[in-house]
Each structure stands twice: as C-alpha cells, then as structure tokens.
Amino acid sequence: MRRYVFVLLVIAFIFSLPRQLFNVSYSPVLYDREGRLLGAKVAADGQWRFPAADTINEKFSIALIEAEDRRFRRHLGVDPLAISRAMIQNISNKRIVSGGSTITMQTIRLSRGMRKRNIFEKSIEAILALRLEIGRSKDDILALYAANAPFGANVVGLEAAAWRWFGRSSEDLSWAEAAVLAVLPNNPAMIHPGRNRETLKNKRDALLEKLLKNGHIDNETYFLSIAEPLPGEPLALPRFAPHLLERFVLSSGSAAFKTTLDRDIQERTSVILNRAGDRFAFNGIFNGACIVMNTRTGEVFAYVGNTLTHHAPDVDINISWRSSGSLLKPFLFAAMLDSGDITHSSFVSDIPTRIGSFSPENITRNYLGVIPADDALARSLNVPAARMLRTYGVDRFTQLLRSLGLTTLFRSGNDYGLPLVLGGAEVTLFEITGLYAGLGRAVNANSGTTANEIFFTPIVNIVTPVNRSNSSQRTARQTAGRLQRQTAPPVSAGAAWLTLEALAYAARPGEEAIWQEYAGARHIAWKTGTSFGLRDAWAIGVTPEWTVGVWIGNASGEGRPELRSTLTAAPVMFEIFSMLDSAGGNRGTWFFKPTAQLRSEETCASSGFPASINCAEIKFTDMPLNAPAVSACRYCHTIDGQKWFILTPAEEWYYRRWNLDYRPLPASINAHGIQGRGGGVLALFNPEPESQVYVPRELDGTDGKIVFSAAHRNDSETIHWHLDTQYLGFTRTFHEIEARPEPGYRTLTLVDSAGNTIQRSFYVLNTQ
C-alpha cells in the first residue's frame, strides 16, 4: 500500500506543473531585421506584457540575484537558509517582514495569480519550485520571472518595463536602470512618479552598493550610477510601423513578429512622407504611403502604411485596392518584347482610335502619328498602349499579370477590356512595387544564373512570428520573406533589362522632364501614374539595390486638381532614393546587361522593325534571346527604283506636324496609289472596321450625331462622303463630318477628286 501511495505521489509531483506555466495574453510586438523594436500594442488584459526572451540582460540578472536570491545558482528551488532567516526575522518582529522565497518560488507565485500568502500556499510554492527546477534551467527560470514580474502601473515583464520606464531595450540598460528594475517587483508602487521616490532611490542605491561590495561593478560605475536620475512618467513605445503591426495582429495568433524592415530606413522614410504630407494637405491631399524593397532579395525594408493625418489615419494604403493608372504599361511592353510583337524601338501607331465605345486619349490631347515603343512607354501615351494591348490580347495580358503576382485581378480579361492597361484595374502599392522589383531581380539574378532560375514573383511574407522558446531561432534574413523559384519566368531577363532601360533613359515630356535629368544622374528606372479623376498619384523607381513605391492621394477616393504624380509622388520617391544613398546605397550603379539573354538583329533605322530589302538604312537592335522573329518593316517601299519611308495616311497626317524632315510621296506617285504596297492616300479613323457604335443622345433628350473622321495625304484634297446611298457632303483640310445613321448595318464610302476610294462597314446599335 505504501508503495502505491509513493508511486501516486511521484506521479502527482511529475504532473504538478501545467504544460504552459503562464496562461496570459501578451502584447503584440514588432521587431526589425536586427531585433530592434518597431512597435507594440497593449495586451488583451490591458497590460504591457512582452513575450519572454530567450536570454535576459546580464546586468539585470546579476542585480536581481543580489537583491532577491544570492544562492539562486546553488539551490534546487528552495533555500533552507533563507527560510530559516525569514522565520527568525518574522518571529522577532512579530509580523511578516520576509518570506524567504527564492526567485523560483516567486516565479511559481506569479504563475498562480499572486494568491494570499500563508504557510499552506508557501508549501505548495516550495513543491512546485522544486518541480520547476527539475524541468527547467536556471536561465529559463530567470527568463520566466523577468517576463512576468510586475514593474509598476500596467507594466509586466522586463522588456516592457525597459521601454516604458527608460525608452530603450532591456539589452541597453545601464547598471542604475537594471538596479531600479531589480527592486521593483517586490514593491511595484515605488515607481509612481508622485510618491515613494526617496524609498525607490534608497533601495536602488543600496543594491548598487551591494554590487560594488561583491565586485560586480567598480567605483567609477558605482558613483556614476547613483548620480543617474530615477525614471519619470511612463514613456510611449515606438510606433515606426503601426499599420504593419495591425495587419499581422489581425492575421496571426502570434505575439511577437520579426520582420525584414530596417528601423533606420523605416523611420527616415516615415519622416520624408509625413513632411511631404504636410505640404500636400494645403491642397486637400491628406494621405500617402510608401514601400521600400531590396531589389536583389525582394525583402521589404520600409513599410509606411499611411501618413500622420486626421483623415483616415488607420487605413493601410499599402494593401488598399486603388486604380493602377499607367503602372501596368511597362509589363505590357516587356511581354510584347518576349512575344516578338515589337522591338524596343519599333513604331507603334498614335492616331485617333475608337474600339467599340472605347476611345482612348493621350493626356496631352495630341497625336504623334507613330512613335518608337520605348518612347511611347517613357511618355506614357495611352493610345499606343491601348493599340498594343489589342495586338497582344487582353486576356493573355491578364493571365501574365496574375502569373507575376497580382492578386487583385478578379475579373476576366474581356471584362477589363483595353482600359486594363490605362487604369481600368485595381492594384495595391505592396504588390505593384513587388512587380517592379521583380523586373530588377530578373536582371540581377541572370548575371550568374540561367534563365529558368530567375526569381520574379514579388515577396509577400515580410514578417515571421518569433518563437521565443527556440534558442536557435534563425535570423530575419533567413526567415522573413521567401523568394519563389519559377521554372519558366513570366518575363525574360532580356525583356526586363530593355524595359528598365526604356524607363531610365528615354526622353520624357512636360512635367516629367523636370525629373528626367535628376533620375538619369542617379540611374533610376522610374514610372509615374495618375488615375482617372485625379484620385491616385503613383511613382515607382528601380535600381539594382532598391525599389521604391510611393502613393499619394486621399484614402476616401476624393480627387483633387493638384493630385498629379509628377508634382506629388515623384518628388517624394526621389527624396527617398537620396536618403537611401546616404544610408549606404551604391549610387550610380546600374544593371549589368544580360548579354547571354539578348540577341542582336538588323532593324530599319526609321521604323525599328527588322530590316527588309526596301530599308534605306539599318541599325543593330537588341532583342530577347528567345523572342520570335518580328515581322519585317512594312513602312519602307521601293518605287520606281527609289526607296521610300511611307507611313499610312492617318499616321502621316499627324507625324508630319511633328517631324518637319519627313518626306511625303510626291503627288505624281500619290495619283497612281500605292494601296498594294502598304500605302494608300485615304485613311478613316472612325468608325473602326466592323465596329458597333451608338448614336449618342443629347442632354435635352434628342438624338445626337456620330462624328466620322478621316485623313488624306494631300492636305488640299477634297473628300466626298457617302452613307449607304445618301450623300453627306464634302470636306477639305480637316476631314470630319456628322451624321445620324439608322440602326443596323451601314457602309461609309469616301471618295477623293482623283477617284481614290475607301469603304468601311459598321453596325449601329439600337438605343431605344
């Protein structure tokens, strides 16, 4: 029987401690890549309580042991000498003046909810302390105590106390500060700024004297320490990345997170953005956000979710869906380089265009006739982009964007239509910045790898829960942010490099020319974008080291006339690049040309397409290695033994107004027509072939009219217009005419005085 009782007692002893000693809520805490505090929130029970660290500050552990339990390292949880001394003191004073508890026993008492002190409770604490000593190391016990001891007010745990009372990590505590925190748990009320100050100072100084006497500090340290002031009011904790902290508090059950952020870069980026926000607020622009990524690794170094403002400050703009503006154009350019639809300098049409009810317009309200593809990208022209997307395919482009990592494209390509590339879809700053970093990473990675080893997909994991119980925890570089390996990169290294070259070096018009020289001197590939209605201003820049994405606007979606990217987002982006340079960036470096992923082709010096026998001059142009052959130049023709560069009539009509050196065909050749050679003298802009059109309705409810427009190589020529069998009239110089056709299939016929004819069939929709 005694044996069974003994066995039961042993089993009870083994299982006397719960698996989780402290069942409490912890403050969500965010750390940077070096383990520095970025921010924290109060725990669910209203306490500032940080998760236990693997190790604690050595100064604090020495001071605590000297103050509470000098034989801590030598006993098994219960110190008989301390208990005997306490009993003698209590009997002689006829009251409890000492409990004789060890640090281990105090840890147990904290875990049991600070129950009423009596002999029975003390006995239980002693038994559980012995059990704790058997299962845990001395350092583990110190860490448990330090993480759960009260330090005054609503502060629990050493790390929270160090920040709340001294504004720094526990790792950086001085001897005087460590001594203050060592004496607080037995009387937390001593920290109150309005009372007990003298008592707290006396206890601290007495402990410092003991540390001096026992050889832990020298005389100089002692005198400097007793001269240090006591802490005052509780200090506010850092708030360097509040939106990121809130984001991961909502999406994870963990309490501590270690990120790839760099606290210095995070803080400086926040200062730049908030300073700019103060300026923009005068124009009714109240919000801004920024992402800074390491281009080579995809790790996020700064995450500013919003400016410090009274207008929707809690909205995390970085993950908010906003109109993309022109930000998707570079990816269409890169895709068409890989597909062989264009070379980087081949001509694309820039003429009035109507596809169904969609009629894109350039922001300049001008047309250039034709323009090299890279120049169209740098100028962010809408008409060439829409025409390029029609050639490439909307659904095909939608699938490409999804493969690159955009998760906001929830509709089919047909639903988006051609406006997709002009701002007709939503993106987040976080994801679109990752895509731009992917362009740079595709080029960077290829310098030492083969094409199928390129990292492209943007990083989405920038924070890792900290497992405080794992002493072999990996560093932030190893744990936070994993690159995804793709066997077939969506954009080749060659196309990515040509795209970045276009964004870095092509001439820019208007307001963007202000920043062109600045960006060129720093070697930055950059793109701006402004959404329809002036609601979103974007600027994203890429270098081999950094990718910076900036959004400026109103979280409410309110547009403002002053909300233009070149006046808001671009200056902020360039200021951040300057800060990164001063923080140790490699200013002036540029991407190495991935020569192994490019091939050189002979192209027409005029049109940029692969040269034909009709081209008068040729040049060599880089193309992605595996891109299919682009169709040969269709603009050059040999007529009567002479080589001519001939644009279509519509393209020529606009191109001649911007290029005075252009040589049109002589009238004698025009008279014979060159339709069979890719030319022609007549061009019809609207309607498009086989298009469906509506007859607009006026504001007063009456039926309106359709405006048909055309062009002729000869500016002085007369064009006669016919709608089915009805003669509409004639035009000279500016060829536009109005009509109100009936619903159904209709045919528009144009004839000039020489008999040259063009016909166009279209369908008029019934608006009833």
Side-chain angles (χ1 to χ4, degrees):
M1 184 66 182
R2 291 179 180 177
R3 180 181 300 175
Y4 293 130
V5 172
F6 177 76
V7 171
L8 290 174
L9 289 175
V10 170
I11 294 174
F13 178 75
I14 292 173
F15 293 99
S16 59
L17 279 182
R19 181 170 297 180
Q20 184 175 344
L21 193 59
F22 288 91
N23 187 19
V24 295
S25 61
Y26 291 100
S27 298
V29 185
L30 201 67
Y31 298 97
D32 82 341
R33 63 195 303 106
E34 303 298 333
R36 296 176 293 182
L37 184 66
L38 292 170
K41 291 170 63 73
V42 70
D45 60 359
Q47 304 293 309
W48 288 104
R49 183 190 295 106
F50 288 10
D54 293 333
T55 59
I56 63 173
N57 180 285
E58 185 178 6
K59 295 175 184 176
F60 174 79
S61 63
I62 291 172
L64 178 64
I65 291 172
E66 285 291 338
E68 295 292 329
D69 189 1
R70 289 196 61 196
R71 285 177 291 278
F72 174 73
R73 298 287 181 183
R74 300 193 295 273
H75 61 64
L76 287 178
V78 179
D79 186 355
L81 293 177
I83 292 177
S84 299
R85 185 187 66 248
M87 290 178 63
I88 294 172
Q89 290 177 344
N90 294 339
I91 291 172
S92 62
N93 287 277
K94 297 182 180 181
R95 62 185 179 89
I96 297 177
V97 295
S98 175
S101 295
T102 63
I103 292 175
T104 311
M105 292 173 66
Q106 292 182 52
T107 303
I108 293 296
R109 184 171 182 236
L110 290 171
S111 72
R112 289 170 58 79
M114 301 292 287
R115 301 187 184 190
K116 187 175 181 180
R117 302 173 69 178
N118 52 46
I119 297 298
F120 178 74
E121 183 63 29
K122 186 72 70 174
S123 300
I124 293 177
E125 290 173 5
I127 294 171
L128 295 180
L130 178 60
R131 174 64 184 85
L132 183 60
E133 290 275 353
I134 293 174
R136 299 289 187 94
S137 70
K138 291 289 188 180
D139 289 337
D140 286 344
I141 295 170
L142 278 176
L144 278 172
Y145 177 84
N148 294 280
F151 287 90
N154 64 337
V155 180
V156 177
L158 174 64
E159 189 65 21
W163 280 104
R164 290 290 280 165
W165 299 122
F166 300 109
R168 62 176 63 88
S169 169
S170 63
E171 295 178 357
D172 302 322
L173 291 175
S174 68
W175 277 107
E177 293 164 346
V180 168
L181 296 181
V183 301
L184 270 181
N186 270 336
N187 190 356
M190 286 191 299
I191 196 66
H192 193 286
R195 61 176 183 265
N196 302 326
R197 306 293 285 175
E198 193 64 30
T199 302
L200 177 59
K201 187 176 188 311
N202 290 338
K203 283 184 173 292
R204 181 200 69 175
D205 293 350
L207 178 55
L208 289 169
E209 186 175 357
K210 187 182 295 187
L211 293 171
L212 173 64
K213 178 181 177 181
N214 293 326
H216 296 297
I217 60 176
D218 55 27
N219 282 305
E220 182 180 5
T221 302
Y222 168 73
F223 286 111
L224 290 174
S225 296
I226 63 174
E228 284 190 25
L230 296 174
E233 295 282 351
L235 302 174
L237 292 179
R239 293 188 77 249
F240 291 127
H243 299 91
L244 184 61
L245 175 60
E246 189 66 32
R247 172 180 170 183
F248 286 99
V249 166
L250 295 175
S251 63
S252 173
S254 180
F257 306 95
K258 195 169 187 178
T259 71
T260 59
L261 301 187
D262 181 287
R263 192 174 73 178
D264 295 333
I265 293 177
Q266 174 75 18
E267 183 177 11
R268 295 178 186 179
T269 302
S270 298
V271 169
I272 291 171
L273 195 64
N274 285 307
R275 185 167 58 230
D278 291 340
R279 299 195 305 269
F280 302 150
F282 288 104
N283 292 320
I285 303 168
F286 299 111
N287 302 101
C290 178
I291 290 285
V292 177
M293 286 184 176
N294 182 298
T295 304
R296 299 184 189 279
T297 66
E299 293 173 327
V300 178
F301 272 58
Y303 185 105
V304 183
N306 208 334
T307 48
L308 298 176
T309 175
H310 296 293
H311 298 261
D314 296 327
V315 176
D316 187 351
I317 300 295
N318 283 332
I319 57 174
S320 298
W321 291 23
R322 311 292 306 198
S323 169
S324 60
S326 299
L327 294 183
L328 300 180
K329 290 176 181 175
F331 302 97
L332 176 62
F333 178 83
M336 295 187 73
L337 289 173
D338 274 335
S339 67
D341 290 304
I342 60 170
T343 70
H344 70 86
S345 59
S346 58
F347 275 168
V348 292
S349 291
D350 182 24
I351 57 177
T353 300
R354 178 179 290 276
I355 301 111
S357 60
F358 178 57
S359 182
E361 289 186 341
N362 297 324
I363 194 171
T364 59
R365 298 294 192 271
N366 293 320
Y367 302 96
L368 302 177
V370 289
I371 185 172
D374 56 358
D375 199 7
L377 173 61
R379 292 171 176 263
S380 198
L381 297 179
N382 291 335
V383 173
R387 296 177 72 95
M388 289 168 65
L389 182 55
R390 181 170 61 170
T391 299
Y392 186 78
V394 180
D395 194 63
R396 185 183 180 190
F397 186 51
T398 303
Q399 294 301 323
L400 172 71
L401 293 173
R402 290 187 181 127
S403 72
L404 293 178
L406 280 189
T407 64
T408 52
L409 302 181
F410 63 96
R411 294 181 287 171
S412 68
N414 290 334
D415 283 344
Y416 287 112
L418 297 181
L420 170 64
V421 76
L422 306 181
E426 295 82 15
V427 298
T428 67
L429 179 61
F430 184 69
E431 285 189 351
I432 194 65
T433 305
L435 260 66
Y436 275 81
L439 285 176
R441 190 159 53 255
V443 180
N444 275 338
N446 196 257
S447 60
T449 61
T450 58
N452 65 351
E453 291 178 327
I454 295 173
F455 295 117
F456 198 87
T457 301
I459 307 309
V460 296
N461 180 21
I462 62 172
V463 64
T464 300
V466 176
N467 182 2
R468 289 297 192 180
S469 63
N470 182 4
S471 59
S472 61
Q473 178 188 344
R474 292 172 292 176
T475 63
R477 259 180 217 283
Q478 295 170 313
T479 59
R482 292 179 176 85
L483 299 174
Q484 299 183 28
R485 185 178 296 273
Q486 300 206 4
T487 56
V491 175
S492 71
W497 184 78
L498 291 168
T499 302
L500 293 171
E501 287 279 295
L503 294 175
Y505 296 111
R508 297 172 184 258
E511 293 173 344
E512 290 208 353
I514 300 172
W515 302 106
Q516 181 178 344
E517 183 177 348
Y518 180 88
R522 309 176 79 82
H523 301 284
I524 300 172
W526 57 293
K527 183 74 183 72
T528 59
T530 304
S531 67
F532 178 78
L534 303 176
R535 294 181 174 88
D536 307 272
W538 304 86
I540 302 180
V542 185
T543 70
E545 292 79 31
W546 301 107
T547 301
V548 177
V550 174
W551 176 91
I552 302 295
N554 287 308
S556 63
E558 179 186 359
R560 301 295 299 175
E562 299 82 5
L563 191 56
R564 298 196 298 273
S565 56
T566 51
L567 300 180
T568 55
V572 174
M573 178 193 71
F574 287 121
E575 188 175 356
I576 292 172
F577 270 112
S578 295
M579 176 272 293
L580 294 171
D581 288 339
S582 65
N586 296 321
R587 176 176 178 176
T589 61
W590 189 239
F591 296 97
F592 290 108
K593 183 177 180 179
T595 53
Q597 296 300 315
L598 293 166
R599 71 175 192 267
S600 184
E601 294 279 353
E602 288 186 351
T603 58
C604 174
S606 298
S607 71
F609 283 96
S612 72
I613 59 173
N614 298 314
C615 298
E617 298 182 18
I618 64 172
K619 63 181 180 180
F620 287 91
T621 299
D622 288 320
M623 298 179 61
L625 178 65
N626 298 318
V630 182
S631 58
C633 176
R634 63 181 183 273
Y635 289 99
C636 293
H637 305 269
T638 302
I639 303 174
D640 298 331
Q642 186 175 357
K643 294 182 177 180
W644 290 90
F645 171 65
I646 305 172
L647 297 173
T648 64
E651 293 168 339
E652 179 183 290
W653 197 87
Y654 289 97
Y655 188 78
R656 286 173 59 186
R657 281 147 182 79
W658 300 96
N659 299 270
L660 299 180
D661 58 345
Y662 174 76
R663 289 195 311 144
L665 283 173
S668 58
I669 298 179
N670 268 336
H672 295 88
I674 56 172
Q675 285 87 341
R677 295 168 176 167
V681 295
L682 281 167
L684 184 59
F685 299 124
N686 181 39
E688 291 273 321
E690 303 301 327
S691 61
Q692 295 181 335
V693 300
Y694 284 101
V695 177
R697 191 173 297 277
E698 302 296 343
L699 294 177
D700 60 4
T702 61
D703 289 333
K705 296 182 178 181
I706 297 176
V707 178
F708 300 125
S709 57
H712 199 287
R713 289 190 188 278
N714 185 350
D715 290 343
S716 61
E717 185 58 73
T718 299
I719 296 179
H720 298 272
W721 299 72
H722 303 264
L723 181 62
D724 296 331
T725 59
Q726 177 187 2
Y727 178 65
L728 299 179
F730 67 89
T731 57
R732 289 192 182 96
T733 307
F734 296 102
H735 301 289
E736 290 185 350
I737 199 166
E738 292 182 334
R740 187 165 62 85
E742 295 296 322
Y745 283 102
R746 297 288 174 256
T747 299
L748 188 66
T749 304
L750 282 66
V751 184
D752 68 4
S753 58
N756 294 302
T757 303
I758 185 172
Q759 280 190 332
R760 179 71 48 81
S761 296
F762 61 100
Y763 186 81
V764 180
L765 296 169
N766 192 335
T767 58
Q768 299 299 322

